[in-house]
Amino acid sequence: MAMLDNNRILLIAGVDTDSTTLQKWHDANKKCIVYSSSANLYARQHSDIIVIAVNEKSHLKETLDAIQAKPKLIILEKPVALNSIEAKLIKDSATRDNIPIIVNHERRFADDYNKAKSLMNKIGTITSIRGSLHSGMKVYSPREELTGFYSLLHDGTHLIDIILFLLEDNAGDSGSILSLSAVTGIKKDEKGEVRNLNAHFSCSKCSDVSIQINGESKFFGFEVDITGTEGRILIGNGIFRLFVKEESKLYSNFYSLEEDKSVKGPKHSGYFSNMYKNAVEFLDGKAELKSTLQTGMNTLAIIDRIKERLH
């Protein structure tokens, strides 16, 4: 829908190996040509943009094939690949053929997270960042290495990437990649699958960064809590709150944090439409990509280091 809503993009073809899904997509996009394999598509069509939205286990092959089709831009669903080794193969091929890739870490494009980033100067020096992810999916299982079906990779990639984004300055420097100091609170079930973990990091811009990923919840929760010397920002799914330093109403000669209710998050995040807007502006030479292959690889490298502590 985000593609169809952008008047600079003409959707011309779609691919799916599942014939039922492909027919449903074709019914909704009757002017498009459909194919049962990407090889058939590339043999018959040439596109400015190729969008890859497949399961993680297929990212490497499909991205390498897309690079050989020589589009002007590839939009790749997150994460870049199953691991950093596969991601490097993608990067080597993309670099060799000079094919730019935008990675769909959509919160980098979302209006609410960009607004939160713009407000960080209001909360003083950043003292801590807490990220949390709650779902019913297992956090990690060695048996799923070839599928990517675990939340550390599936949704944890979003949590880690958005923390890196919030730490970035205008030049895209996140104060060096987060340095992993410890993984604690590891809980495994009877199958040996990780159901909870806490990962602790530091970097030059904040010495206290941590994430909690829980895979035993009956709900989905995604939050980032940023505390500074003069305030706090809480943002997540359906959450946007700014707290600032005020004279305490409870104690004399003290300051407390009070919510600034004049600051509200946007009603719509616009993450997909903003991503396609960025893609079009990049192809027009008007903007740099906001979510690159390298930023995606930075996130994947951190996930790989967490996994090393779990074996």
Side-chain angles (χ1 to χ4, degrees):
M1 293 307 299
M3 281 188 278
L4 293 173
D5 285 344
N6 190 306
N7 60 15
R8 293 295 311 284
I9 294 177
L10 177 63
L11 189 58
I12 61 172
V15 180
D16 203 304
T17 57
D18 185 311
S19 59
T20 301
T21 302
L22 187 63
Q23 185 59 53
K24 289 180 179 179
W25 190 87
H26 199 193
D27 290 342
N29 300 278
K30 291 183 171 59
K31 294 183 179 180
C32 295
I33 303 170
V34 293
Y35 298 92
S36 59
S37 75
S38 53
N40 288 336
L41 168 69
Y42 301 146
R44 293 167 175 81
Q45 302 276 168
H46 184 269
S47 305
D48 293 322
I49 301 173
I50 295 175
V51 180
I52 301 174
V54 297
N55 291 337
E56 289 89 346
K57 66 180 180 180
S58 299
H59 277 209
L60 177 61
K61 178 185 183 303
E62 291 299 334
T63 308
L64 292 179
D65 288 349
I67 290 169
Q68 293 307 304
K70 301 294 191 295
K72 294 179 181 177
L73 177 67
I74 291 173
I75 297 177
L76 175 61
E77 181 56 44
K78 62 77 197 169
V80 174
L82 285 172
N83 52 58
S84 294
I85 295 173
E86 289 191 359
K88 186 177 184 303
L89 294 174
I90 291 173
K91 181 181 180 181
D92 289 345
S93 180
T95 301
R96 184 169 54 249
D97 290 307
N98 195 29
I99 305 296
I101 297 178
I102 185 171
V103 179
N104 183 27
H105 278 121
E106 72 250 22
R107 287 172 177 82
R108 284 180 174 259
F109 304 95
D111 290 338
D112 51 351
Y113 282 92
N114 278 275
K115 184 172 182 178
K117 186 178 175 70
S118 72
L119 293 171
M120 287 178 67
N121 61 353
K122 293 184 177 294
I123 64 172
T125 302
I126 304 303
T127 57
S128 69
I129 298 179
R130 302 275 182 268
S132 63
L133 169 64
H134 298 267
S135 75
M137 180 185 281
K138 54 184 166 286
V139 175
Y140 175 70
S141 172
R143 289 186 289 275
E144 301 291 353
E145 281 284 2
L146 297 180
T147 67
F149 190 69
Y150 53 91
S151 65
L152 177 60
L153 187 69
H154 195 266
D155 293 302
T157 182
H158 281 304
L159 186 61
I160 294 169
D161 179 74
I162 201 59
I163 289 173
L164 290 175
F165 170 73
L166 291 169
L167 287 168
E168 284 177 5
D169 57 24
N170 292 333
D173 177 18
S174 57
S176 74
I177 302 304
L178 293 173
S179 175
L180 179 64
S181 54
V183 179
T184 62
I186 300 171
K187 180 181 179 181
K188 297 183 179 181
D189 61 19
E190 65 279 0
K191 296 179 181 179
E193 295 176 337
V194 177
R195 288 289 171 174
N196 189 83
L197 66 78
N198 299 283
H200 306 270
F201 308 89
S202 64
C203 71
S204 63
K205 295 187 177 180
C206 182
S207 62
D208 184 11
V209 180
S210 65
I211 62 169
Q212 179 196 16
I213 304 182
N214 181 279
E216 298 179 304
S217 300
K218 304 300 182 183
F219 64 92
F220 184 82
F222 187 106
E223 295 179 8
V224 180
D225 189 346
I226 311 155
T227 302
T229 53
E230 298 186 34
R232 176 184 174 216
I233 297 170
L234 182 62
I235 184 171
N237 287 13
I239 302 168
F240 193 100
R241 302 173 74 185
L242 171 67
F243 300 84
V244 293
K245 181 188 72 174
E246 300 282 357
E247 286 193 22
S248 178
K249 298 175 182 177
L250 302 174
Y251 306 101
S252 59
N253 300 319
F254 273 84
Y255 287 92
S256 300
L257 292 183
E258 296 289 339
E259 184 173 1
D260 185 343
K261 294 187 177 181
S262 69
V263 176
K264 300 184 182 300
K267 290 184 178 180
H268 302 287
S269 64
Y271 45 84
F272 287 145
S273 58
N274 289 342
M275 179 182 69
Y276 283 104
K277 181 175 182 287
N278 181 227
V280 168
E281 289 179 346
F282 170 79
L283 291 177
D284 286 341
K286 297 179 180 178
E288 296 295 324
L289 295 179
K290 293 183 178 181
S291 182
T292 66
L293 187 57
Q294 186 58 57
T295 60
M297 291 179 68
N298 293 344
T299 297
L300 200 55
I302 291 170
I303 291 173
D304 285 348
R305 287 200 288 275
I306 294 172
K307 289 195 297 183
E308 290 171 0
R309 304 286 184 100
L310 300 177
H311 288 293

